[in-house]
Amino acid sequence: MAFLDFSGLSKSYPGVRALSDVGFSVPAGHVHGLMGENGAGKSTLIRILSGDTRADEGAIRIDGVEQRSSSARDAFDAGVVVVHQELQLVPDLSVAENLSLGRFPRRMGIVDFRALYAAVGRTLAEIGVDIDPRAKVASLSIGERQMVEIAKAVMIDARVIALDEPTSSLSSRESEILFRLIGRLREAGKIILYVSHRLDEIFRLCDGCTVLRDGQLAAHHPTMEGVTRETLVSEMVGREISDIWGWRPRQAGAVRLSVEGIAGTRVPEPQSFQARAGEILGFFGLVGAGRSELMRLVYGADPAAAGTVRIDGETLSPVTPRRAICAGLVLCPEDRKADGIVQGRSVAENIAISSRRHHSPMGLVRPSREAETADRFIASLRIRTPSRRQDIVNLSGGNQQKVILARWLSEPDVKVLIVDEPTRGIDVGAKAEIYEILYALAEKGIAVVVVSSELPEVIGICDRVLVMCERRIAAEFARGDLSEAALLAAALPDQATPRFAQKA
Amino acid sequence: MTATIKRILLGEQGLLVLFVLAFAVVSLTVPNFLTERNILGLLQSVVTIGIVACTMMFCLASRDFDLSVGSIVAFAGMVAVMVSNETGSIPLGLLAALLAGTLVGFVNGVVIAKLRINALITTLATMQIVRGLALIASDGRAVGINDPAFYSLALSRFFGVPTPVWIMAILFAIFAFVLNRTVFGRNTLAIGGNPEASRLAGVDVDWGRIGIFALQGLVCAVAGILLASRITSGQPNAATGLELSVISACVLGGVSLAGGRATMSGVIVGVLILGIAENVMNLLNIQAFYQYVVRGLILLFAVLLDTLRSRALGRR
Amino acid sequence: MTATIKRILLGEQGLLVLFVLAFAVVSLTVPNFLTERNILGLLQSVVTIGIVACTMMFCLASRDFDLSVGSIVAFAGMVAVMVSNETGSIPLGLLAALLAGTLVGFVNGVVIAKLRINALITTLATMQIVRGLALIASDGRAVGINDPAFYSLALSRFFGVPTPVWIMAILFAIFAFVLNRTVFGRNTLAIGGNPEASRLAGVDVDWGRIGIFALQGLVCAVAGILLASRITSGQPNAATGLELSVISACVLGGVSLAGGRATMSGVIVGVLILGIAENVMNLLNIQAFYQYVVRGLILLFAVLLDTLRSRALGRR
Amino acid sequence: QDVKIGFVVKQPEEPWFQDEWKFAQEAAKEKGFTLVEIGAEDGEKVQAAIDNLGAQGAQGFIICTPDVKLGPGIVAKAMANDLKLMTVDDRLVDNAGNPIEDVPHMGISATKIGETVGQAIVDEVKKRGWDMASVGAIKVSYDQLPTAVDRVAGATSVLEANGFPAANIFNAPQAKTDTEVALNAATTVINAHPEIQHWVAVGLNDEAVLGAVRATESVGIPAANVVGVGIGGAESAINEFKKPSETGFFGTVIISPKRHGYETALNMYEWIANDAEPEKLILTSGQLATRGDYEQVRKDLGIE
Ligand SMILES: Nc1ncnc2c1ncn2[C@@H]1O[C@H](COP(=O)(O)OP(=O)(O)OP(=O)(O)O)[C@@H](O)[C@H]1O
Ligand SMILES: Nc1ncnc2c1ncn2[C@@H]1O[C@H](COP(=O)(O)OP(=O)(O)OP(=O)(O)O)[C@@H](O)[C@H]1O
Ligand SMILES: O[C@@H]1[C@@H](O)[C@@H](O)CO[C@H]1O
Ligand SMILES: [Mg+2]
Ligand SMILES: [Mg+2]
């Protein structure tokens, strides 16, 4: 019987021990969960498996044969396919080309496009994804891109498939497609490594799981028998977390953000909504419902064609991110790699970039003050980094997300905080802390707008929820009326109207 | 009405449409422009730029940069002439030149892809080294061609069109095919579009880049041979500044310096725009100093239109 | 032992350490190198490159590119001389030159940031336009300086060191401070790291870029004035090819062309390496053609070391 | 005392300067002094070169300056470094544009050499019996370089003085001084005037004129209908004469790099070693060489 076996894996980066002496094995036909806090070493393990990085010590064996992959190509040849945490697609190539990159069907060096489109079309249909194989990836939404990445794993007849947080940008509907797919792969006898911060997914999918903590093996469960939520959380975080939502009642005050009739290229019809002081307003919807696009218009990240945005009654016009920030409206963006992190700059710099104008007299920066702020957030958000001087690209995905949050939390005069997918890729422990911070901000009188695709999160933390469907605000729910069924029903488009999406 | 015009001008084929319009205007207004002789002369004048642009397109599309092309053209021309003279055999001379060009390109590629030295700096360095070698080999002098058969390369014609123009046209066709239909071409675009993703997908990025540079060297050698034949000698200081003209032509033709985007038709239009601009300025007898200014303005204007077009298409 | 050496050479200060080593070797082996005269001569020879490198560093760090610096230097020099001659007032001449330089830079910036035209093409265009203007203004001939007081700008000395060298040193200090300690400098690096993220974080990316180009123009004008004063005339052909030397110096000094990485100390070392290489080749009487080759090899070698260093530091 | 002399030239890649250096080295070998060759393409490099020479203990230098207006700066720099100064080829001028007479100079007037070209063309055109009024002239110009402007102007002035219609002189501007650029510019001119049967060509140097000649060939004008006369007489011109059949490149006005290189170096040596100040002004003249007599002319000038 086939199996995947890790033994004694260790890997260090300057100042960080990402993995130390990790060993476990997974039998064929199993879906194995890999869990741990942000920075625990999950992605590192997967990168080693994919040949992208080399371990300092230790070995990986498949069916007892030691793998010596030193490139992605070698790993492929050994039957290993990896869907990485950060999307790895080429925007200007077609979906089909992306899916067969590195393995084009060819005749004498010439790509057989007919065969390619046919094969890809078949695969996509098979897994139930409605995307044109000829469409350029640049024209797809993030969720659709994620599905393309996942389709990659199916296209190739691999023995080992590793998925690093594949659902972090999928809607529940798309996640369902993925879960069905994983079920099929498992039946076909593949070995599947599944990284996720979502415990319910682990319980639903996995045959066993492994927990990493600080680069070490914290627990290994060959089966899920007797494993509970509580055990996993305490193995991951090292402490008990009773109620991760921790919601408590708040008093909504005056209207702080008032959006009237705003519209733009990707939100064609004028939309209006208000957010009040001390309230946490949720935006729920399926992927592509237009939530992110709406928030980008409100923030001025994209130019609005019509509408007004008022903060405490003052009109911002036209809105630009800079004006918005000065007026106390900030947005923590959804796509951290493209719109969030400033590559090549330190953690401290990434935190200070926006707020430093408040404490830089005559345009002179004050490094000591920025250092202090950075250290404060590194401690309070438990950002795993060797120092505040570390280049942000070297942080794990979840820790990058925390740094971006810290950037906005360090803004002094915030009146309205919009966070788009605030806990994407964030571990349970940190999630609870982030919710706590959002509550504290709301209680200080800030209007907090949370855009989220995670139904439990929306229900767990929001005081009021607006549901978007096909780029319109379709329904509103007070906290008392929140239920999964109601929200989903409001988010799903009418059967009559075809779903707007896909091809741009 | 205006919407339609806008759609046509700023559409996918906008550059081409604009080019056709501009060509029509020039043909009608500039005396002596639209004559067979002049058009053939114009085409011959863009042979070097056109040929080198074929592979520069690949280079830019893969997010690289090659400043050494002018030096390789000169060097290969020198080699062709010197070896032909030495051995008395033109084929041997041509072979040596093609090998020399490919070798320089290959070295560029290896240094850039394997030692991971910045392409700009590497090719800036080889640009100087190779120019130096050309000068050293010839002691800084032009080397005359002994065997007049060598000239016929440039002087011969098929169906009234000079051979170099045919060669350029054939290379355009070949490289359009290579870019769109071969694994090499698609990988090139992938490497430029997202090097990291390409590497993770198992594309051999290093060897892809090396291949592009080697091909660039080979194609520069072809251009160098034709140039030597046209000017009937190998000149060590030929083709200085070629790199900027070629890169301009490519960018005019919509090749993105950020990698991942290129079309052969665009590059051809870019090459022709540059050639027509020079030709028309001379036909209109615009003073040399004003030519600088006009050249700059045309460049700006053409790219501005392309930018508007891309923006209208909603690309970022 | 070897580990220690490796650590020192490839450490954060590796380029500096290497530079000091190389300097020591050169001082010991090359006759006449380490004399006060020669060092002062050397420093004077890098004044133009050094001054322009200050702002080119900002330009590259913000992921932009400026090819027009050489033309601006020449143009500003011409303006300084012509206006001084015309009005009889040197201060007026200098002011006009500074304004002219800033204006060109500002136009570059606006075209690049607001019209969103590729920086390479924009500055390639202004490089030609501005050079053309300089040629037109002077009819292609150098313009002599009427008032000898203008020369004293370059000839005067403080504590035995020529004024231009002082000015360069002061600009080094100023721009090191600007880069590290001002919001403008930090924003420059952020823009280079990720322009979109910077914009969303409230950085005024457009005006930041415009500011950098305008500053670049101003600084080029300073260099142009000093150059005119040193060569006692305004020359429309001055400083051709300056852009490549300056960019080389910056990249040698570790400025990343992909934006987001720059240090003043690195750039100073880069400038000095180039200057020393030229100086030593002439002291050793290396033949002109071999100088090309040596120059290329030095460039490659210096960047190779820096690459090794970066890799050892685990940067990508 | 060890004598060290600098020889600074404006375009080290040009064959002409290679030759000057070569002959200067001959003098150095003969007299046993050190010759330091430095290429300095612009004013700033000239300054650095002079400093460099001073630093390495040279006593004097000879320069062909990138621009004659650099005169006052060069004189001042030479003085500051305590170096003796001579100029070759191009004579320094002061700010008012007058020659700086204190500096010994060996060279040739650009206008005069242009006139020699013009005269050679006129003579040949008359000899071939063409109708002056129907001949076209390609003026390959490089206006950025004052020497080039003067040379070409000298040539066309002689053409016009001999009845050549000014309207038939067509400008083919070069953006760079290489043959390909001249070829492209000249092609446009020729194609714009298909009615003209006979062509003459002038330009800054041999390479420029060669470009024009190649252009006539590429459109199929027979060699017998073309008279191009270049300036310089280095390899690129000689190659033309060595071609098996005659081309439109009729001749070149050779100036002697031997005198310019060897004699200036020798004079500088005498000045330093024996305090024998050279003549303030030596003007050499250009001599026309054609296919028939170039070997003899070169021998006469002491080249080869
Ligand atoms: N190239 C690198 N250079 C330096 N440190 C690195 C590098 N890559 C990863 N690390 C560090 O290694 C540790 C493990 O990172 P890894 O990405 O494996 O975490 P993870 O478990 O996937 O976290 P997340 O849940 O946030 O994705 C982190 O502390 C990270 O900062
Ligand atoms: N660059 C783009 N080009 C074309 N269409 C786009 C682009 N970006 C987004 N879209 C489309 O706009 C629609 C709205 O996307 P948006 O990101 O706002 O949805 P969302 O509700 O925030 O969902 P999520 O962020 O979870 O994907 C999607 O259908 C998407 O396909
Ligand atoms: O530049 C020219 C050079 O080409 C040679 O002809 C001698 O004179 C110089 O002025
Ligand atoms: Mg991870
Ligand atoms: Mg969204």
Side-chain angles (χ1 to χ4, degrees), chain A residues 52 72-73 76 84 87-93 97 101-104 106 109-111 113 152 266 296 302, chain B residues 177 180-184 186-187 189-190 193-194 196-204 259-261 314-316:
Chain A
D52 182 25
R73 172 118 250 145
F76 270 136
H84 290 273
L87 288 173
Q88 301 292 354
L89 297 168
V90 184
D92 276 302
L93 293 187
E97 285 174 303
L101 198 56
R103 308 168 308 276
F104 287 122
R106 63 180 86 184
I110 295 166
V111 182
F113 277 102
K152 229 189 234 178
R266 295 198 195 97
R296 285 177 63 91
D302 296 326
Chain B
F177 183 84
N180 292 319
R181 302 298 304 274
T182 68
V183 174
F184 178 71
R186 303 321 281 172
N187 281 351
L189 290 172
N194 189 342
E196 177 73 3
S198 308
R199 190 173 61 77
L200 292 175
V203 173
D204 198 334
R261 242 173 63 201
R315 293 191 193 136
R316 309 224 194 165

Side-chain angles (χ1 to χ4, degrees), chain A residues 138-139 141 143-144 266 286-293 334 421 453 471 500-502 504, chain B residues 316:
Chain A
S139 68
S141 70
E144 289 167 333
R266 295 198 195 97
L286 302 180
V287 169
R291 294 158 300 164
S292 301
E293 299 296 332
E334 146 184 63
E421 309 288 0
S453 307
R471 307 169 185 224
F500 189 103
Q502 276 97 36
Chain B
R316 309 224 194 165

Side-chain angles (χ1 to χ4, degrees), chain B residues 70-84 93-94 96-98 100-101 134 143 145 150 220-229 231 233-236 238:
Chain B
S71 297
I72 302 182
V73 166
F75 182 63
M78 294 289 314
V79 170
V81 175
M82 292 177 77
V83 174
S84 296
L94 302 192
L98 296 176
V143 182
I145 294 174
F150 200 130
C220 285
V222 172
I225 289 168
L226 290 177
L227 181 61
S229 160
I231 60 181
S233 59
Q235 300 214 353

Side-chain angles (χ1 to χ4, degrees), chain A residues 197 295 359 362:
Chain A
H197 289 292
M295 294 310 152
H359 44 75
M362 295 165 60

Side-chain angles (χ1 to χ4, degrees), chain A residues 409-472:
Chain A
L409 298 177
S410 67
E411 273 285 334
D413 303 320
V414 175
K415 298 180 176 128
V416 181
L417 170 68
I418 306 175
V419 279
D420 197 347
E421 309 288 0
T423 57
R424 171 169 291 172
I426 289 207
D427 66 57
V428 242
K431 259 185 199 171
E433 279 152 35
I434 287 171
Y435 300 145
E436 193 49 47
I437 290 170
L438 294 180
Y439 297 155
L441 291 175
E443 280 154 14
K444 261 176 39 193
I446 291 174
V448 179
V449 179
V450 176
V451 176
S452 173
S453 307
E454 270 192 75
L455 213 37
E457 178 172 276
V458 173
I459 294 174
I461 66 168
C462 297
D463 303 330
R464 182 164 66 99
V465 175
L466 295 176
V467 178
M468 285 190 78
C469 175
E470 298 189 311
R471 307 169 185 224
R472 274 187 304 256

